[in-house]
Amino acid sequence: MTSVASNPGILYVVATPIGNLGDMVPRAVETLQTVALIAAEDTRHSSRLLSHFDIKTPCIAYHDHSDDTRVDQLVARLQGGESIALISDAGTPLVSDPGYRLVRSARQAGIQIVPIPGACAMIAALSAAGLPSDRFAFEGFLPAKQVARCAQLQSLAADPRTLIFYEAPHRILETLQDMAQVFGADREVVMARELTKTFETIKGNKVSELASWVESDSNQQRGEIVLLVHGAPKPENEAMTPEQMHIMKVLLDELPVKQAASIGAKLTGLKKNFLYDWALQQSE
Ligand code: SAM
């Protein structure tokens, strides 16, 4: 069993840029310079970032599929008093990137975990997409095979939240086409490509039109991509508040359907035809 130092180390979870080195936050640089060890998704990939910021801290590779020994070693070093920074190739670790097993094991071992926030492609995309952002669901990467991908999309088709996906450039066209098939040609989709980089492109449209545009311009099938999908429209019944339903029920107790719908429209601001259909449904 590893002995725990009276002052265990801290595990820092450090976000790094998603393409623009100017997005590296000063606290990330300072943390990476001062910890005893950096656990990186790919040490060769990260060496460019580290040398740019003159960070000479030793690096070790860490993946969630690293064997248990690697996780145990890192937790033991933390318990022994060394602080470690976890980074991935780009953006925020654990967001479609390694880190979950290490963070979970460290937390279970009572180690303090400190996030150093910074770039994250899905949050950057959401902040600029102009889609509802009060509720959203991050879905990561869709399955690569079409049958599984369509099944996954189908399971999300009625979700009212904005849906966020990461997608590989060589699959972008077929994914947009599948979305048009499953969500309907008119569903609004925003494609955020090469965020923070020279060819940054953020384009929103009906998904069928977005698919045609991507098909006609092969440049749109390159680089790194986030797709954001407007949530499903609420079924009309759910669009009525309990108060509006109450008003209609009182009116329907006293008046014929047509008149109740007409007065109800004035009182609730909802469409007369909608209220008329709703009233008929109630009596079925
Ligand atoms: N951990 C990262 C984050 O915080 O966003 C995500 C890592 S995931 C392995 C890589 C995927 O993120 C890419 O395939 C792409 O879908 C998305 N991505 C990363 N950088 C991006 C960028 N600059 N512009 C658009 N999407 C990006």
Side-chain angles (χ1 to χ4, degrees):
M1 203 174 131
T2 326
S3 60
V4 179
S6 52
N7 272 327
I10 294 173
L11 176 61
Y12 293 94
V13 183
V14 181
T16 56
I18 55 169
N20 188 325
L21 289 177
D23 294 335
M24 185 77 170
V25 301
R27 200 155 77 100
V29 176
E30 194 187 307
T31 303
L32 294 176
Q33 278 167 341
T34 51
V35 289
L37 182 70
I38 296 171
E41 178 180 4
D42 177 342
T43 52
R44 276 225 328 249
H45 179 98
S46 291
S47 65
R48 288 191 290 275
L49 173 87
L50 299 178
S51 68
H52 180 87
F53 289 102
D54 199 26
I55 295 163
K56 302 198 167 69
T57 310
C59 264
I60 190 171
Y62 172 80
H63 294 276
D64 280 334
H65 51 263
S66 300
D67 59 17
D68 288 342
T69 339
R70 176 51 54 90
V71 177
D72 293 345
Q73 273 169 4
L74 292 170
V75 172
R77 289 182 72 162
L78 288 158
Q79 288 175 318
E82 290 178 288
S83 286
I84 298 177
L86 170 69
I87 59 173
S88 61
D89 286 355
T92 302
L94 280 83
V95 178
S96 291
D97 262 347
Y100 166 70
R101 278 182 61 219
L102 176 59
V103 170
R104 186 158 178 86
S105 300
R107 181 164 291 291
Q108 280 166 348
I111 299 295
Q112 186 185 355
I113 323 267
V114 173
I116 309 288
C120 177
M122 64 126 168
I123 295 294
L126 182 67
S127 73
L131 291 176
S133 54
D134 50 344
R135 294 183 69 209
F136 59 90
F138 174 60
E139 288 291 320
F141 288 96
L142 283 161
K145 298 228 166 82
Q146 193 185 28
V147 173
R149 182 167 58 233
C150 287
Q152 176 83 351
L153 291 174
Q154 194 61 58
S155 74
L156 295 164
D159 197 317
R161 297 169 297 178
T162 293
L163 304 170
I164 308 177
F165 302 92
Y166 285 163
E167 192 48 287
H170 60 278
R171 275 197 289 271
I172 187 64
L173 181 57
E174 52 192 74
T175 292
L176 288 170
Q177 288 166 341
D178 288 346
M179 285 179 170
Q181 192 71 30
V182 176
F183 296 153
D186 289 349
R187 185 79 77 96
E188 185 183 353
V189 171
V190 175
M191 183 169 107
R193 197 174 67 82
E194 292 291 86
L195 293 170
T196 77
K197 306 187 216 176
T198 312
F199 296 107
E200 179 176 277
T201 310
I202 302 175
K203 174 113 173 152
N205 207 336
K206 291 177 179 174
V207 62
S208 51
E209 292 181 20
L210 199 60
S212 305
W213 177 69
V214 165
E215 189 168 22
S216 67
D217 179 358
S218 60
N219 282 331
Q220 304 308 326
Q221 298 169 44
R222 295 194 181 146
E224 298 192 279
I225 300 169
V226 184
L227 285 178
L228 306 97
V229 181
H230 197 295
K234 284 188 188 165
E236 290 200 322
N237 254 354
E238 281 178 33
M240 277 175 87
T241 64
E243 198 186 13
Q244 289 167 331
M245 285 192 207
H246 178 70
I247 291 171
M248 281 306 294
K249 281 178 183 154
V250 171
L251 291 172
L252 285 165
D253 282 346
E254 305 293 333
L255 300 167
V257 171
K258 203 170 163 195
Q259 221 179 333
S262 172
I263 298 174
K266 288 182 188 138
L267 292 173
T268 62
L270 295 168
K271 293 226 165 65
K272 194 165 64 183
N273 287 348
F274 166 68
L275 292 176
Y276 183 81
D277 291 344
W278 182 85
L280 291 183
Q281 277 168 26
Q282 305 310 300
S283 59
E284 272 167 14

